[in-house]
Amino acid sequence: MDSIGEKIRIQRLTKNYSQQYMSFMLDISQAAYSNLERNETELTIKRIYEIAEILEISPFVLLPKPRFGTYINYHNFMHTIRKIGHFWSDKIKRKKENLPDHINVYHSDIEKLNIE
């Protein structure tokens, strides 16, 4: 079974994002980000949501499967996800606008993110 850090690493590589880019977007050092991927730092739910927003995936992709059932009140779940999504997407958009030139992003699609 993949750990959360390993799942994050796989998703990051799928998007062709560098650790430097991820650490910039999370406002942490590259070494601290590396510790997240190696499971040397315990992640909070808030941090998992931040990472998922940057990677443009559902946070549930990163979380382990529940052991005791999977019932979720769909209405409350979607309401919560929308609120969190609005909050983090605004924050991520502001960070992308202020991305320094020395941060490596391995693809040119970053400009395409602002498509109407």
Side-chain angles (χ1 to χ4, degrees):
M1 181 201 254
D2 293 338
S3 65
I4 293 175
E6 196 170 336
K7 290 177 184 179
I8 292 169
R9 184 178 131 299
I10 290 167
Q11 292 295 326
R12 175 181 62 80
L13 293 173
T14 301
K15 293 282 188 177
N16 292 319
Y17 292 161
S18 66
Q19 284 190 350
Q20 187 180 21
Y21 172 75
M22 293 295 292
S23 65
F24 173 80
M25 296 300 287
L26 293 168
D27 282 327
I28 59 175
S29 69
Q30 189 273 326
Y33 179 79
S34 180
N35 288 340
L36 294 178
E37 285 192 358
R38 290 193 316 264
N39 294 308
E40 294 176 3
T41 301
E42 198 167 312
L43 288 167
T44 63
I45 295 295
K46 179 182 173 188
R47 183 64 80 188
I48 291 171
Y49 273 86
E50 288 176 321
I51 292 168
E53 184 67 32
I54 293 165
L55 295 171
E56 299 171 339
I57 60 172
S58 167
F60 296 103
V61 171
L62 303 175
L63 295 171
K65 302 229 183 292
R67 289 185 281 170
F68 303 110
T70 59
Y71 175 77
I72 295 175
N73 181 317
Y74 184 76
H75 175 74
N76 290 341
F77 168 75
M78 292 308 294
H79 178 72
T80 303
I81 293 298
R82 276 192 294 275
K83 286 173 83 175
I84 292 169
H86 290 300
F87 175 77
W88 291 116
S89 64
D90 290 342
K91 182 178 177 182
I92 298 304
K93 285 177 189 174
R94 286 191 304 273
K95 288 292 268 184
K96 286 181 180 177
E97 290 169 359
N98 298 320
L99 188 65
D101 293 334
H102 71 278
I103 300 292
N104 295 327
V105 178
Y106 295 124
H107 60 84
S108 61
D109 292 343
I110 194 103
E111 291 83 23
K112 295 178 186 176
L113 295 175
N114 295 326
I115 297 174
E116 276 98 42

